[in-house]
Amino acid sequence: MTQLLSFDESGFQFAWDSTSLGTFVTCPRKYYYSMLQGWTAQQKSVHLIFGGHYASALEHFHKHRAAGVDYDTALRLVVREALEATWDYEKDAPQDWMHTNKTRDTLIRSIVWYLEHYRDDPMQTVILYDGRAAVEYSFSIDLDETYTYCGHIDRLVNYGGDIYVQDQKTTGSQITPRFFEGYSPDYQMTGYTWAGQIIFNMPVKGVVIDAAYIAVG
């Protein structure tokens, strides 16, 4: 069995993230089976696949723009990347995720529509002290001599003069106030705020949940 990076040789988990923490708090038995025993679904969730491609496209777009690439060129780059990443080269056909709403077509459409809607983005990507754009930032913070807290921040933005972490989400349900209530409180969002304040040494005020409703039409 391959040793996971979050565990030592004895099987003790020393590196925690919001997923493992949330799983343990929700159900220790589920944590035992999924995190310690390594049981997973035979096929990866379509929601994780779709959300991963969508978030990657937006992250790369913001990175291109922060580097000075013009809007149209950045859009073409991320659309091409998404098209290539979702092509089944063995079957010479688009990947089929067996889902009505979340398909390759709706993925590309969502990327284009989102970026067109926010062509004049009121949120500006934060540029770090070393000149890098604060996009796609993986972090690891030592809590003490035993435990480490890890995660991945999509984007750090300046909005209305305040600094926020921006996190992209996709959903098949209509976006209502109840949707956002599901993230208050939330281990992932609280962790982002806390980690952002530490690793960036900036007064991160909170998290902006940037949600997209994915539907057939």
Side-chain angles (χ1 to χ4, degrees):
M1 180 180 293
T2 302
Q3 180 182 337
L4 299 178
L5 297 178
S6 302
F7 297 79
D8 63 17
E9 295 180 354
S10 68
F12 173 78
Q13 183 174 359
F14 63 88
W16 289 73
D17 60 7
S18 59
T19 300
S20 54
L21 181 61
T23 301
F24 179 80
V25 172
T26 301
C27 178
R29 178 61 63 178
K30 180 180 179 181
Y31 166 83
Y32 172 77
Y33 285 131
S34 62
M35 302 302 298
L36 299 184
Q37 295 293 310
W39 288 89
T40 59
Q42 188 172 11
Q43 293 183 335
K44 189 174 181 180
S45 167
V46 62
H47 308 297
L48 293 178
I49 296 173
F50 188 98
H53 288 305
Y54 177 80
S56 179
L58 299 192
E59 290 174 8
H60 293 175
F61 176 84
H62 293 308
K63 210 168 189 177
H64 289 315
R65 294 289 284 145
V69 178
D70 65 86
Y71 172 90
D72 290 327
T73 300
L75 176 60
R76 286 197 297 270
L77 287 172
V78 297
V79 168
R80 178 172 181 172
E81 183 182 60
L83 287 170
E84 292 176 346
T86 56
W87 185 260
D88 189 330
Y89 289 92
E90 292 185 0
K91 297 180 179 179
D92 195 25
Q95 292 179 6
D96 185 1
W97 303 321
M98 307 298 291
H99 195 274
T100 303
N101 293 358
K102 294 186 175 181
T103 65
R104 187 172 185 256
D105 288 342
T106 59
L107 170 67
I108 301 303
R109 186 186 67 189
S110 298
I111 294 169
V112 173
W113 281 9
Y114 173 90
L115 294 177
E116 178 61 31
H117 184 80
Y118 289 106
R119 177 185 282 263
D120 299 319
D121 194 349
M123 297 185 182
Q124 299 301 311
T125 301
V126 170
I127 304 300
L128 303 177
Y129 302 113
D130 58 5
R132 291 181 301 148
V135 178
E136 298 181 90
Y137 197 96
S138 296
F139 63 85
S140 177
I141 301 174
D142 292 331
L143 303 179
D144 55 23
E145 296 181 355
T146 304
Y147 294 102
T148 299
Y149 184 72
C150 309
H152 180 85
I153 290 178
D154 289 346
R155 184 185 179 207
L156 201 66
V157 298
N158 189 315
Y159 181 53
D162 293 315
I163 305 297
Y164 293 90
V165 172
Q166 184 187 49
D167 192 64
Q168 272 87 31
K169 300 292 184 185
T170 61
T171 176
S173 303
Q174 291 190 8
I175 300 173
T176 64
R178 186 174 182 179
F179 173 83
F180 295 104
E181 289 172 1
Y183 294 98
S184 180
D186 181 80
Y187 291 107
Q188 184 182 30
M189 303 310 159
T190 301
Y192 283 165
T193 304
W194 172 74
Q197 294 169 346
I198 294 176
I199 60 178
F200 295 118
N201 194 27
M202 294 181 181
V204 177
K205 194 171 184 179
V207 177
V208 174
I209 299 175
D210 189 9
Y213 169 39
I214 311 299
V216 174

